[in-house]
Amino acid sequence: MASVGRRRASPRPSGRPLVVRGLTAAVLAGAFVAQTAGALLPDVPLLLAATAVSLTVEGVLSRWQPVMSSLLAKCHADITVRHVLRDLLLVVGLLRLGEHDREPQFAWPVAGLLVFYALHCAVQAVSVLVRRTRTLPVLTRNIDASTLRLSPAPAALLRRPGHRLLLLGLPTTAGLATAAVTGDPLPAAAGTAVSVVLAAAGLGALLVRLLPSRRPAGEQEVLDWFDAWLDDYRPTVGLYFSGGASSAYQANMWLETMSRLDGRPVVVLRERFMVARIAATDLPVVCLPKVSTLMRLEHSTLRVLIHPSNSGKTSQVLRIPTIKHAFVNHGESDKLSSCNPYAKAYDEVWVAGPEARERYARAGVGVEDKDVVEIGRPQLDAVRPWSGPPADGARTTVLYAPTWEGWDGNPGNTSVVAAGENLVRALLADPGVRLLYKPHPLTGSVEPAAGAADRRIRELIRTANRERPAGASGPAGSASELDRLTAELDRLTAAGVREGADQTERMLIQSAPPPGRAEAVAKATAAWEAAYWASLPRDEHQVVPGVRPVLYSCFNNADLLISDVSSVISDFLASGKPYAVANTSGMSEDAFRAAFPTAAAATVLTPDASGVPALLETVRHPEKDGLADARAELKLRLLGPDEPTSRERCDTALRALSTAALNHRACGEEQAEARHPRSQRLAEDLLPAPRHASDTGTGADAETSRSVTPPSRPAPPG
């Protein structure tokens, strides 16, 4: 059945967009053919109708079909070509209507049309120049950058050539069409005049942006400012992240932990678009797209970088010899990605517990045991421990949180395709179950069948809720209170920038968080989560998409977890509650448990979901739960001991690695002095004083004495 579902689902998500794009292209091509026929015959109704259809399709392409617009541009049929052709056909139609001596009457409209397109090209050229002046070598958040002469972005219309041409050229097109109906050249002349004036005004507005007083700071000025900020803030530990747009969650899950570490933390990004995707935080955020800018960190006080993921750009920052690097991953599981050979490139690999250490040893990927440090999982402080089975008469809340399909094509990665619908049907068939379905945000991003299965699961849940007897349950809390708290949380976490803002404008607006915002966000989040769960009908099944509520909040409201081999089950062990793992790998249960140690204390479910009824019995009657002791033992192996706390172990690991970085730098400077004492002294005489010249002492010894004990973290930088 699962294979049938896969065959049905695969064409749907990929074929439907292709059909829509094909129809759009066909309608657009047909409109131009009809417009050509209307111009040559000439036939005014056909000409006007085809022009209207063509403009309507342009609006559809602009608003809903950006991919199709890109494809047309690659075929040298971009919007400029299409717009010129549309107006040219209108002019041809005008000239063929009526007498043959009408050309002089339309000389001025045609001349105005040429001027308009010349201005359009000029606006585009100046727009590119303005964009370059606003592309800074360093982007920041939560840092005061007011000295860089930042300013709001130009109007979005002036920065988007397609939208600009459509809107500013509309008076011309309307004037030509009106002239075709009336035979009078005046509407055509008036329309082109309006378009010319609008284009000239836009050009003037952009040219003003190129004046020295209106441009942001230049590249060198920005770099000098960044060096000065590093001197002033003196960061000691950073979160380094590089990745695609959908991977921001991997960095976001470490933000709160970073904010609680000893020292002065900073978030270091490489992609410009990622600055806007980092969640609300008071931590200073810097984006350094170029390698040359990144290397300026070598001469800063930064000693340790923490890496939650691997990326192609990681090798660039690993070249900095004065910084030590720790790989923490964004979650631990038995997947191959949790013991990637690339991990041996880091100075240390920070893992949760002994099982991860043994995982690296078994994998034989080159990570030495001495470089593995157990720190626990600091994020799991938010997970509440098990408080007992569901109360008599209460429904058993089951959280089904499958992972996504992954990049390697392994059908055992996710249970959504092969087992998801069977699991959900089995759970919905039990009248005492309340289901929470929280799919991975990347579900369906690689395998279309996973996305189709996800949609079918959501429909099963909606159908089950519709078929529930009326009045069986009602909201336990107030929806209006939830709306109020949602608005409050949105206000606290909103970027505060307008839709058309560019990155430089965002940098200006997000310069410094208001004092106490982090505490206010934490308090508002807790209140929102409580109101969210209280506002839901007590027994209604729920699909929980998006970032709110977070997965750990779902843990706290569930009696049982069903998931796949992923970090979700490792994190859920912190609660001590029962959990199950879907085996869609084709292995026997014994082989599955041997291959995936995180399933050692789990109930292993087959794709047909036949084990669900017995599993629910163990949750409702703890005396039938034979895996409780195994879960406690596995929790210790996967997550480490409760004392010292994970936060304390993380701080200890950070201090040790920081000291190693300082010792390495001091040793390197001593060796350099021993090898080239004369050149070292000459360099000190010729080069500007070090940025820490105001501190007591000079040289490596003074640097070590200043930085061995990281300074306490100040108030959020402003």
Side-chain angles (χ1 to χ4, degrees):
M1 183 177 294
S3 61
V4 172
R6 179 187 293 254
R7 286 195 297 271
R8 283 181 181 173
S10 296
R12 289 172 60 188
S14 58
R16 197 172 290 173
L18 288 177
V19 171
V20 173
R21 293 171 196 166
L23 287 175
T24 303
V27 172
L28 184 62
F32 276 114
V33 170
Q35 192 181 15
T36 302
L40 296 178
L41 287 177
D43 187 323
V44 173
L46 179 60
L47 179 63
L48 296 182
T51 302
V53 170
S54 176
L55 286 172
T56 301
V57 175
E58 293 289 0
V60 171
L61 289 173
S62 175
R63 181 65 178 86
W64 293 293
Q65 293 282 334
V67 175
M68 190 63 202
S69 296
S70 299
L71 291 175
L72 290 172
K74 291 178 181 179
C75 299
H76 300 284
D78 60 16
I79 190 168
T80 302
V81 172
R82 300 195 302 270
H83 208 282
V84 169
L85 179 59
R86 189 162 35 246
D87 287 344
L88 177 62
L89 290 173
L90 282 172
V91 171
V92 170
L94 284 172
L95 296 179
R96 289 184 58 80
L97 289 169
E99 300 83 2
H100 294 286
D101 58 348
R102 305 184 68 196
E103 290 84 352
Q105 302 177 31
F106 289 94
W108 285 110
V110 171
L113 188 62
L114 295 176
V115 171
F116 167 69
Y117 281 107
L119 286 172
H120 166 71
C121 294
V123 170
Q124 180 59 22
V126 177
S127 176
V128 171
L129 293 177
V130 171
R131 184 176 69 245
R132 289 180 178 176
T133 65
R134 298 179 61 83
T135 303
L136 306 183
V138 178
L139 290 178
T140 64
R141 265 177 58 185
N142 300 334
I143 298 174
D144 184 3
S146 57
T147 59
L148 298 181
R149 301 190 302 278
L150 306 180
S151 61
L157 182 66
L158 299 178
R159 309 196 316 265
R160 300 172 182 171
H163 294 73
R164 182 178 64 240
L165 186 58
L166 274 177
L167 186 60
L168 301 189
L170 192 59
T172 294
T173 304
L176 292 173
T178 303
V181 175
T182 63
D184 186 354
L186 184 58
T192 54
V194 171
S195 293
V196 166
V197 170
L198 292 176
L203 179 61
L206 289 174
L207 286 172
V208 170
R209 296 273 182 165
L210 296 178
L211 296 174
S213 61
R214 298 292 302 274
R215 291 200 302 263
E219 180 173 355
Q220 189 57 50
E221 187 177 351
V222 174
L223 294 177
D224 292 341
W225 168 86
F226 179 60
D227 288 340
W229 178 82
L230 288 173
D231 285 343
D232 180 62
Y233 181 64
R234 297 181 64 81
T236 58
V237 57
L239 180 73
Y240 178 91
F241 189 74
S242 172
S246 60
S247 62
Y249 73 94
Q250 299 173 358
N252 288 334
M253 68 170 56
W254 280 94
L255 293 177
E256 184 177 356
T257 300
M258 289 294 299
S259 68
R260 296 183 299 179
L261 289 177
D262 289 341
R264 294 187 177 91
V266 62
V267 179
V268 180
L269 307 176
R270 301 300 309 281
E271 289 80 19
R272 295 177 181 273
F273 64 80
M274 191 61 69
V275 177
R277 286 174 169 79
I278 293 297
T281 178
D282 285 0
L283 295 175
V285 178
V286 298
C287 177
L288 311 175
K290 294 182 180 179
V291 178
S292 58
T293 309
L294 180 71
M295 292 303 162
R296 303 179 92 85
L297 296 177
E298 179 177 356
H299 304 290
S300 72
T301 56
L302 193 62
R303 296 294 173 258
V304 174
L305 279 178
I306 294 174
H307 300 255
S309 69
N310 296 310
S311 73
K313 295 180 180 179
T314 301
S315 61
Q316 299 169 351
V317 75
L318 292 177
R319 302 176 192 174
I320 301 179
T322 58
I323 299 177
K324 293 292 185 179
H325 303 269
F327 180 61
V328 295
N329 213 339
H330 54 277
E332 290 189 14
S333 70
D334 293 321
K335 291 181 180 178
L336 293 177
S337 58
S338 290
C339 49
N340 193 309
Y342 196 87
K344 63 187 174 185
Y346 302 94
D347 296 288
E348 290 183 353
V349 178
W350 293 359
V351 300
E355 176 58 36
R357 179 188 296 276
E358 296 175 13
R359 186 185 302 124
Y360 275 106
R362 291 193 301 267
V365 294
V367 176
E368 298 185 28
D369 186 72
K370 66 180 180 63
D371 296 329
V372 179
V373 180
E374 298 173 25
I375 66 166
R377 284 277 284 166
Q379 296 90 342
L380 299 184
D381 291 347
V383 178
R384 296 196 297 265
W386 183 64
S387 59
D392 292 339
R395 288 198 178 193
T396 302
T397 301
V398 181
L399 171 63
Y400 178 40
T403 190
W404 68 303
E405 56 269 27
W407 299 110
D408 57 7
N410 187 338
N413 285 342
T414 179
S415 60
V416 167
V417 176
E421 292 171 83
N422 292 334
L423 289 170
V424 169
R425 286 194 184 97
L427 292 168
L428 297 178
D430 189 317
V433 164
R434 180 199 190 195
L435 175 61
L436 305 178
Y437 173 55
K438 189 171 181 62
H440 193 284
L442 295 181
T443 298
S445 60
V446 173
E447 176 56 54
D454 170 62
R455 291 190 292 273
R456 291 195 296 271
I457 289 173
R458 294 174 188 239
E459 183 57 33
L460 285 173
I461 294 173
R462 285 191 291 267
T463 301
N465 283 331
R466 287 195 299 266
E467 294 175 352
R468 187 186 59 178
S473 65
S478 170
S480 61
E481 176 66 8
L482 178 64
D483 292 339
R484 184 188 68 79
L485 291 170
T486 300
E488 174 67 10
L489 189 54
D490 288 343
R491 183 187 65 80
L492 290 171
T493 59
V497 296
R498 60 190 178 93
E499 184 178 355
D502 63 2
Q503 293 168 336
T504 301
E505 182 177 343
R506 285 177 173 271
M507 184 173 168
L508 169 66
I509 295 173
Q510 298 176 319
S511 59
R517 186 185 66 172
E519 292 78 8
V521 169
K523 183 178 179 180
T525 299
W528 182 90
E529 288 180 349
Y532 172 81
W533 295 110
S535 69
L536 299 177
R538 288 183 295 271
D539 300 327
E540 189 175 85
H541 309 295
Q542 298 294 330
V543 177
V544 190
V547 296
R548 295 180 193 162
V550 297
L551 183 62
Y552 297 156
S553 180
C554 295
F555 285 179
N556 293 334
N557 285 274
D559 301 304
L560 166 70
L561 168 73
I562 299 178
S563 188
D564 305 322
V565 175
S566 68
S567 61
V568 173
I569 58 177
S570 302
D571 289 351
F572 190 76
L573 276 166
S575 70
K577 300 174 183 177
Y579 72 103
V581 181
N583 176 13
T584 56
S585 65
M587 302 179 184
S588 66
E589 181 174 333
D590 290 340
F592 183 79
R593 291 184 185 275
F596 305 111
T598 53
T603 298
V604 177
L605 297 174
T606 54
D608 62 4
S610 58
V612 167
L615 171 64
L616 293 172
E617 277 296 301
T618 64
V619 177
R620 293 161 178 161
H621 304 284
E623 67 276 7
K624 299 180 181 180
D625 181 6
L627 295 171
D629 293 338
R631 287 197 301 274
E633 180 182 348
L634 185 59
K635 173 187 174 184
L636 185 63
R637 286 183 51 77
L638 289 179
L639 304 177
D642 293 332
E643 296 293 337
T645 66
S646 182
R647 178 181 175 183
E648 291 170 340
R649 283 181 281 162
C650 190
D651 282 335
T652 300
L654 175 61
R655 285 193 295 269
L657 196 56
S658 297
T659 301
L662 290 168
N663 293 338
H664 177 79
R665 165 172 281 203
C667 181
E669 291 178 351
E670 290 174 0
Q671 291 176 355
E673 172 66 20
R675 288 194 302 267
H676 307 289
R678 183 174 181 276
S679 61
Q680 180 74 11
R681 288 193 297 271
L682 181 61
E684 291 176 352
D685 292 339
L686 295 178
L687 293 177
R691 290 192 290 269
H692 52 261
S694 61
D695 296 334
T696 304
T698 58
D701 294 337
E703 174 67 17
T704 303
S705 66
R706 281 190 300 274
S707 305
V708 167
T709 302
S712 60
R713 188 182 175 204

